[in-house]
């Protein structure tokens, strides 16, 4: 979304729900005492422009969809925000002499 907030649009929600359905596994999850099948598919919207953002860093919005029934007995897909954690890994230096030494070194860093 280059020109507006990175919130899921109707098209984003429909596409995300379709992909979740396509990739739906057979790992049951529970929702309101019903069994739902969990999909490993998540969506990401990158907002490249935000006039309120003081930095030049893009805003990233991770989400998935959950199907819910409305009062009119219709099923509607709702976007659900996903909270993410950034992890930073340390660089490993390897001595090129022997592979087993490299493995042993990586296990002790």
């Amino acid at each position: 979304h280059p020109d507006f907030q990175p919130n899921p649009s109707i098209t984003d929600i429909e596409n995300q729900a379709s992909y979740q359905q396509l990739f739906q596994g057979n790992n049951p999850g529970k929702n309101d005492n019903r069994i739902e099948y969990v999909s490993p598919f998540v969506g990401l919207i990158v907002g490249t422009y935000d006039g309120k953002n003081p930095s030049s860093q893009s805003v990233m919005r991770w989400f998935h969809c959950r199907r819910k029934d409305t009062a009119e007995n219709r099923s509607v897909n709702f976007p659900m925000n996903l909270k993410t954690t950034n992890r930073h890994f340390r660089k490993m230096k390897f001595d090129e002499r022997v592979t087993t030494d490299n493995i042993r070194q990586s296990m002790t860093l």
Side-chain angles (χ1 to χ4, degrees):
H1 293 182
D3 297 325
F4 49 92
Q5 293 291 325
N7 296 323
S9 66
I10 300 292
T11 303
D12 294 329
I13 294 167
E14 289 173 356
N15 289 337
Q16 177 63 28
S18 294
Y19 279 114
Q20 283 181 211
Q21 188 174 8
L22 283 172
F23 286 86
Q24 198 169 55
N26 55 0
N27 302 320
K30 287 196 85 143
N31 180 25
D32 302 329
N33 297 325
R34 295 181 308 205
I35 292 179
E36 286 186 348
Y37 289 93
V38 179
S39 174
F41 215 89
V42 296
L44 170 63
I45 299 172
V46 179
T48 56
Y49 173 77
D50 183 359
K52 297 177 186 170
N53 190 356
S55 76
S56 61
Q57 198 170 24
S58 296
V59 176
M60 292 189 273
R61 182 73 43 110
W62 294 88
F63 73 103
H64 69 100
C65 291
R66 178 169 281 173
R67 198 164 191 80
K68 293 186 178 184
D69 295 330
T70 65
E72 298 86 27
N73 291 327
R74 290 182 38 211
S75 288
V76 178
N77 291 307
F78 286 90
M80 309 299 283
N81 191 37
L82 290 173
K83 198 177 228 184
T84 60
T85 302
N86 293 333
R87 297 187 182 233
H88 301 279
F89 297 96
R90 62 182 168 218
K91 292 181 181 179
M92 295 172 33
K93 295 180 183 176
F94 289 109
D95 184 354
E96 304 225 2
R97 282 182 265 148
V98 181
T99 305
T100 54
D101 287 344
N102 289 342
I103 293 170
R104 202 173 290 121
Q105 180 184 1
S106 70
M107 296 170 83
T108 59
L109 284 179

